[in-house]
């Protein structure tokens, strides 16, 4: 199995969506090789030129792209490993987990982007700077500098938006309960992205979310912690 992943200037694997899959592979005890890429290399992953994003995996002669599709594929291809997304395709549990993924995307990823986007740009390999700046500035309709400006006064609003995580963590050490599950990996990816891309502290140290993130960094012999912080 090959995992195609992005690296920054320090060779850190910073992609949030890729961390979901890295944690899923560890949860299942599956081994794999990593193929490191810059943003500029992503269009060349597919031998036939089909659109690919990071993460993409290659297994048994086939490529699977999109983190959700990859985890579903792993659940099906390795039925003797613990499942991460509930069984039947249209089960209520899988829909609720997908809803949580949408919350991660719209609240965590978007909120973190507003705090660290310029730092993230600066952490990338210089060959990626021009592409990253022009593609992201087109999406956000501002300069990266303006987008990140004022973060010290805005970070409190981001921290308030984490209340659903705090409420969930009142029931156990992980969002999924006593043991970590895919909901944990979805949220973990977002905070790991921030940790690897910027020295800015998006979490307060006395927050239960901070304690949970530290627990996630320790999982699987410190898989997440081994990737050095920005
Ligand atoms: N929904 C996709 C999103 C994947 C995605 O957007 N990946 C980013 C990197 S984290 C990417 O490949 N970007 C390529 C680009 O911006 O050119 C997933 O969960 O895998």
């Amino acid at each position: 199995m090959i995992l195609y992943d992005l690296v920054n200037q320090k060779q850190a694997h910073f992609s949030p969506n890729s961390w979901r899959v890295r944690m899923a592979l560890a949860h299942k005890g599956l081994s794999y090789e990593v193929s490191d890429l810059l943003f500029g290399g992503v269009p060349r992953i597919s031998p036939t030129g089909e659109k690919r994003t990071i993460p993409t995996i290659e297994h048994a002669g086939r490529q699977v792209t999109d983190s959700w599709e990859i985890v579903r594929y792993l659940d099906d291809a390795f039925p003797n490993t613990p499942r991460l997304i509930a069984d039947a395709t249209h089960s209520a549990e899988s829909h609720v987990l997908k809803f949580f993924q949408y919350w991660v995307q719209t609240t965590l990823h978007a909120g973190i982007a507003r705090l660290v986007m310029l730092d993230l740009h600066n952490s990338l390999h210089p060959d990626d700077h021009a592409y990253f700046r022009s593609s992201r500035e087109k999406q956000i309709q501002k300069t990266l500098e303006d987008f990140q400006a004022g973060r010290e006064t805005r970070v409190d609003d981001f921290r308030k938006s984490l209340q659903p995580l705090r409420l969930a963590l009142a029931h156990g050490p992980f969002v999924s309960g006593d043991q970590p599950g895919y909901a944990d990996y979805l949220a973990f990816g977002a905070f790991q992205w921030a940790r690897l891309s910027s020295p800015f502290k998006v979490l307060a140290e006395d927050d239960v979310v901070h304690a949970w993130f530290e627990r996630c960094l320790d999982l699987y012999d410190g898989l997440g912690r081994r990737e050095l912080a920005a």
Side-chain angles (χ1 to χ4, degrees), residues 8 10 12-16 19 112 116 119-120 123 187-203 210 213-214 216-218 222-230:
N8 65 18
K10 288 188 177 169
H13 299 98
F14 61 93
S15 158
W19 274 99
I112 289 171
V116 306
D119 292 352
L120 169 59
S123 73
F188 171 77
F191 294 105
Q192 176 76 324
W193 177 45
R195 171 180 175 270
L196 297 172
S197 306
S198 169
F200 187 72
K201 300 286 174 230
V202 301
L203 290 171
H210 183 274
F213 180 55
E214 292 292 314
C216 291
L217 285 170
D218 287 335
L223 176 68
R225 205 182 285 286
R226 281 205 292 279
E227 210 74 16
L228 289 183

Side-chain angles (χ1 to χ4, degrees), residues 116-222:
V116 306
M117 192 74 130
L118 180 61
D119 292 352
L120 169 59
H121 166 273
N122 295 340
S123 73
L124 296 177
H125 189 283
D127 288 357
D128 275 343
H129 282 176
Y131 165 75
F132 186 83
R133 181 179 284 278
S134 70
S135 59
R136 273 39 180 190
E137 288 187 346
K138 206 161 140 187
Q139 283 166 17
I140 63 184
Q141 296 284 304
K142 301 184 172 186
T143 62
L144 301 179
E145 285 75 6
D146 284 351
F147 196 56
Q148 187 175 289
R151 63 182 173 182
E152 292 76 12
T153 50
R154 294 188 288 102
V155 68
D156 280 349
D157 281 343
F158 171 72
R159 290 174 180 173
K160 278 191 196 121
S161 76
L162 306 178
Q163 192 58 10
L165 274 183
R166 281 181 208 110
L167 294 171
L169 290 168
H171 299 288
F174 293 101
V175 178
S176 308
D178 288 337
Q179 300 297 325
Y182 198 54
D184 293 274
Y185 307 149
L186 287 166
F188 171 77
F191 294 105
Q192 176 76 324
W193 177 45
R195 171 180 175 270
L196 297 172
S197 306
S198 169
F200 187 72
K201 300 286 174 230
V202 301
L203 290 171
E205 283 190 9
D206 60 356
D207 192 338
V208 292
V209 180
H210 183 274
W212 158 86
F213 180 55
E214 292 292 314
R215 267 196 295 285
C216 291
L217 285 170
D218 287 335
L219 290 170
Y220 312 115
D221 301 320

Side-chain angles (χ1 to χ4, degrees), residues 5-6 14-18 20-21 39-40 42-43 45 51-56 65-70 101 105 109 131-132 135-136 139 182 186 193:
D5 206 352
L6 290 166
F14 61 93
S15 158
N17 303 313
S18 182
R20 300 170 177 178
V21 169
F39 275 103
V42 176
I45 296 174
K51 181 156 170 58
R52 297 285 183 258
T53 48
I54 298 299
T56 290
T65 202
D66 182 77
S67 53
W68 182 267
E69 291 307 319
I70 293 170
Q101 177 173 302
Q105 192 182 316
H109 287 208
Y131 165 75
F132 186 83
S135 59
R136 273 39 180 190
Q139 283 166 17
Y182 198 54
L186 287 166
W193 177 45

